[in-house]
Amino acid sequence: MTAKKLITAGGVSIVFLFIAGCTDKPVLYKQGEYQGKLDSQPWSNAQFKGERVEWEKALKARSQGQDEYSRAATSAN
Amino acid sequence: MARMKFLCDAERCIECNGCVTACKSEHDIPWGVNRRRVVTLNDGVPGEKSISVACMHCSDAPCMAVCPVDCFYQTSEGIVLHDKDLCIGCGYCFYACPFGAPQFPQDGAFGLRGKMDKCTFCAGGPEADNSEAEYKKYGRNRLAEGKLPACAEMCSTKALLGGDADVISDIYRNRVMKRGKGSEVWGWGTAYGKPDAKPATPPGAKS
């Protein structure tokens, strides 16, 4: 009788073990939060060597280049 | 530095499509995908206006809000980018975007919708800067080279301005003062919010 109970208990536990194997893995997804790869800063490279100020200077110079009034004034001087 | 913005001066745009070509060429964009396009309002009517349209990198981007897999992120400069490895090509962002910016390449033999593609402000994506993977997925990262978006830099009449919001606003203000007209900036209210905008009905009032 005890052996039969043991076999039944063992069988039931094996069934539960198999069922547990079929369940989904816990999802780490968080609603509303970016889940992708992290991006690096545009100044964190060999050209700017992490110098944000240098990068901003380069960009500002380019931005000012879009103003033909200031370009004309510079070339006139 | 403030945030990055695009500004299109409708008084200057001559519909040359130089910006569209520059973008296509710079990022090797596939057939059927247009990150930038030129739209003409009242075409053929005297006084027609053309504007160059792409992702405006909105302050409160609706695409970010509706994405079911949260593949969007905003950089410290306010540029809205996305991770193509996460994108499922559902198209929600396309319906949410007021500018029609998200593009979907046809993928596979049955014309399935591929992963979303859009203007990156020439800032690449979440891959190593100027790497092969970044170029293939998102195009060239000009910002990491200290350059502005190709479309703005190639614009022959400088109708399309791109860069630091403070700088381009000053350029535009100076222009408007000199020519004495055309102070309306198309799309800025939609993309970056109207500072004086009040709700149609005050909170708590019956509508």
Side-chain angles (χ1 to χ4, degrees):
Chain A
M1 197 70 177
T2 324
K4 204 175 179 182
K5 271 185 183 175
L6 270 173
I7 290 165
T8 312
V12 168
S13 58
I14 284 168
V15 167
F16 274 110
L17 210 69
F18 274 113
I19 291 170
C22 293
T23 53
D24 286 335
K25 283 180 183 173
V27 179
L28 298 169
Y29 177 82
K30 287 175 196 158
Q31 182 66 36
E33 281 181 34
Y34 173 61
Q35 307 288 310
K37 289 179 211 164
L38 292 177
D39 200 359
S40 57
Q41 298 291 1
W43 52 86
S44 310
N45 51 42
Q47 189 180 342
F48 296 103
K49 299 176 182 72
E51 292 284 337
R52 184 179 181 158
V53 179
E54 290 301 312
W55 177 76
E56 283 183 359
K57 259 191 215 169
L59 231 61
K60 195 166 184 179
R62 286 258 178 179
S63 299
Q64 292 292 357
Q66 297 178 108
D67 185 8
E68 66 283 338
Y69 289 113
S70 69
R71 281 214 316 264
T74 314
S75 59
N77 292 333
Chain B
M1 181 175 269
R3 73 188 303 286
M4 298 292 179
K5 286 180 186 177
F6 276 125
L7 190 156
C8 187
D9 187 349
E11 294 286 328
R12 283 193 177 207
C13 183
I14 56 167
E15 204 191 346
C16 70
N17 278 285
C19 51
V20 177
T21 312
C23 178
K24 277 252 180 196
S25 164
E26 190 76 355
H27 306 297
D28 204 9
I29 309 283
W31 173 257
V33 174
N34 290 292
R35 289 187 179 182
R36 181 168 284 284
R37 63 204 184 283
V38 176
V39 176
T40 303
L41 309 168
N42 300 323
D43 201 359
V45 179
E48 65 172 34
K49 292 273 187 296
S50 294
I51 32 174
S52 178
V53 188
C55 172
M56 292 289 278
H57 303 276
C58 303
S59 305
D60 186 13
C63 53
M64 287 180 84
V66 299
C67 180
V69 292
D70 292 317
C71 72
F72 289 92
Y73 64 101
Q74 207 159 20
T75 68
S76 52
E77 294 79 45
I79 301 164
V80 178
L81 299 173
H82 72 298
D83 187 342
K84 281 195 179 179
D85 293 343
L86 284 180
C87 178
I88 54 170
C90 67
Y92 283 19
C93 50
F94 178 78
Y95 293 110
C97 179
F99 303 102
Q103 301 282 302
F104 294 89
Q106 284 201 341
D107 199 13
F110 301 102
L112 292 170
R113 197 157 47 190
K115 289 171 187 293
M116 189 272 278
D117 190 88
K118 73 168 192 73
C119 161
T120 62
F121 207 90
C122 287
E127 297 286 346
D129 283 353
N130 298 318
S131 62
E132 182 82 21
E134 187 182 50
Y135 184 77
K136 274 190 176 170
K137 283 183 196 171
Y138 309 101
R140 200 171 145 201
N141 190 341
R142 289 172 59 88
L143 230 62
E145 297 169 15
K147 296 171 186 169
L148 291 171
C151 52
E153 292 211 302
M154 290 289 277
C155 181
S156 55
T157 59
K158 291 284 165 263
L160 183 64
L161 302 171
D164 185 14
D166 290 344
V167 177
I168 61 168
S169 307
D170 280 346
I171 294 171
Y172 190 67
R173 193 178 303 116
N174 191 26
R175 258 183 213 181
V176 173
M177 295 284 278
K178 285 209 162 51
R179 71 184 175 209
K181 61 167 185 167
S183 60
E184 303 84 15
V185 186
W186 186 89
W188 260 43
T190 311
Y192 312 123
K194 295 166 190 160
D196 300 326
K198 285 175 189 163
T201 49
K206 285 180 184 174
S207 58

